[in-house]
Structure formats: C-alpha cells, structure tokens
Amino acid sequence: WQAVAEIWAASLALMAVVFWLTTTDDPAFRLRRERGVASKSLAQEFAPLQNIQVWRFSLYYFFAFGGFVALSLWLPRYLVGVYGFNLETAGMIAAAYSIPGSIFRAFGGMVSDKKGARSVMYAMFAVSAVATLILSLPAATITPVIFIAVIFVLGFFMSLGKAAVYKHIPAYYPESVGAVGGIVGMMGGLGGFILPIAFGFLKDMTGLWSSCFLLLFAIVAISLIWMHLSVKQLSRQSHSAPVAAT
C-alpha cells in the first residue's frame, strides 16, 4: 500500500512542474505589481468577512461539500451496520458514491454558468430536503436498493451545489475572492470533519442509524429558508432589477 503514497507524491510533483511551466500571473496582479500599487493589508483582505452573507455562503458549502465528504466516510459503516453488507462491498459503494463527485462538480459549474447559480442552489436544496427526509425514515423501512438510489441522487445534487456556491463568490466579492473563497472552503472542510463525529454521536444518543439524515435535513431546511429570505430581501432592495449571480 505504500506505493499508493509514492505514486500520489510523484503525480503531485509532476503537476507542480506542469503548473509552473504552463501558467502565468493574473493580469490584474501583474498590472498592480508593474505600477507599484501596494497590496491590501490583512485587515482589508478580511473586511468582507464582516458581512453575514459570507457566512451564509459558508453554511451552504458546509452542507454541499462537508456533507458530501461526511457521507462518503459514513456510508461504509452505515451499510455494514444497517444492511449487513460486508466491508468490501460497502467500501466499493462508498467509492462509487464519492469518486464521481468531482466530475459532477464540473458539470455543476457548467449548469451554473448557463442557468444561474441561484437556480442550481434552489434545485440542490429542494432535492436534498426530499432525499434527506426520505432517508430519515427508520432504516428498516427502506430497502438497500432504494437507499442506494436515493443517496446517489443526493450526492449528485450536492456535487452540483458545490460548484454553484463558488459561482456566487466572484459575483459578489470580485476583489476578495481569495479571502472569501478561503473561508467558505474552510467551513466546507470543517463540515467534512465535524459531521461524521456528529453522526456517530446521534447514533449513540438515539440508537437510530437514520438520525444522521435528520441532522442533514435540518441543515438543508435552515439553508433553504435563509437563502430564500435573503433572495426576497435582495429583490426588494433592487426594485426588481437583476441581481448578480442569478
């Protein structure tokens, strides 16, 4: 198994060389450097984080990315504990769930460009709410085939949502993409770390395997309501004028 790490390290080194040889600095950055324009201070870079909207985007990504990662980690244990799958089969199903996520995320970016990130976000939250509500039912009432089908649909729409969240950032914060994108990404990573622990805690406290999906449903419901109220507020403020990242 050590060869896996060695191959991965070699691939990273190769990509570093390719990146160094085939990319250039951002034109705006080059222009600022040529003109001797001073860089923003740390306080200026992080000033947008005072906006509650940034943390709303972070909540979206906490679910879309963090929830996706958490389910990838939790699925083998869930399938073994609920349906009695052997570990090898459960691991293969979890891999089949997680690997296409990168491909679907790219597709989500394409859809966000064509249909608008907000439309994709609404679709993700709506489908995720239905899916997590179904999966919140007692595990014994859902057959393995239905469970796997619903969880794959959920994973697909979560992957679309991951791209849609990041579509918003340059639209609303074109001068602070790095700082805002970094915070949003950090919250997604925290979701992938915290949620599996929360899943295990809920299982121990309630004895219900499906309690993890009830937690995800709560996050989805809060996110969807918050997003919808914010969209309505933006619409009122703009007097029906087009809003960025629609």
Side-chain angles (χ1 to χ4, degrees):
W1 65 267
Q2 289 88 343
V4 175
E6 294 170 356
I7 294 172
W8 183 246
S11 300
L12 290 176
L14 176 61
M15 288 307 301
V17 173
V18 172
F19 184 83
W20 178 266
L21 295 176
T22 61
T23 61
T24 59
D25 289 331
D26 176 66
F29 172 76
R30 287 206 310 269
L31 184 61
R32 290 197 303 269
R33 185 171 56 188
E34 291 169 359
R35 293 179 176 178
V37 178
S39 301
K40 291 182 180 179
S41 67
L42 192 62
Q44 290 173 322
E45 287 284 0
F46 286 97
L49 304 188
Q50 300 174 21
N51 192 334
I52 191 65
Q53 184 186 55
V54 173
W55 301 102
R56 178 162 56 87
F57 292 164
S58 297
L59 178 62
Y60 301 165
Y61 206 63
F62 183 88
F63 169 75
F65 179 80
F68 185 90
V69 172
L71 287 176
S72 299
L73 298 173
W74 187 247
L75 265 180
R77 184 72 186 90
Y78 190 97
L79 293 171
V80 171
V82 175
Y83 297 112
F85 285 23
N86 61 55
L87 188 58
E88 292 78 7
T89 302
M92 290 300 295
I93 293 173
Y97 167 85
S98 61
I99 292 175
S102 299
I103 300 173
F104 294 148
R105 179 170 182 164
F107 177 68
M110 295 171 55
V111 176
S112 297
D113 287 338
K114 292 182 178 180
K115 302 295 184 180
R118 186 173 296 158
S119 298
V120 175
M121 293 298 297
Y122 268 118
M124 179 193 71
F125 284 137
V127 173
S128 296
V130 173
T132 52
L133 191 59
I134 292 173
L135 296 173
S136 297
L137 297 173
T141 65
I142 303 175
T143 66
V145 173
I146 292 176
F147 175 84
I148 292 172
V150 174
I151 201 75
F152 270 68
V153 170
L154 175 62
F156 172 75
F157 277 90
M158 292 170 86
S159 296
L160 300 186
K162 286 185 284 186
V165 173
Y166 266 85
K167 171 71 174 176
H168 283 79
I169 295 173
Y172 285 98
Y173 302 98
E175 301 300 323
S176 303
V177 173
V180 175
I183 290 296
V184 171
M186 180 193 74
M187 294 303 294
L190 283 176
F193 172 75
I194 292 172
L195 285 174
I197 299 174
F199 293 167
F201 175 77
L202 287 173
K203 166 61 174 62
D204 292 341
M205 290 294 293
T206 65
L208 298 174
W209 280 100
S210 57
S211 58
C212 60
F213 295 107
L214 191 59
L215 172 60
L216 291 178
F217 174 77
I219 296 173
V220 170
I222 292 170
S223 299
L224 179 57
I225 293 170
W226 193 3
M227 183 179 77
H228 186 66
L229 292 177
S230 298
V231 169
K232 290 296 184 183
Q233 183 181 16
L234 286 172
S235 297
R236 288 194 297 269
Q237 291 174 349
S238 62
H239 302 289
S240 301
V243 179
T246 57

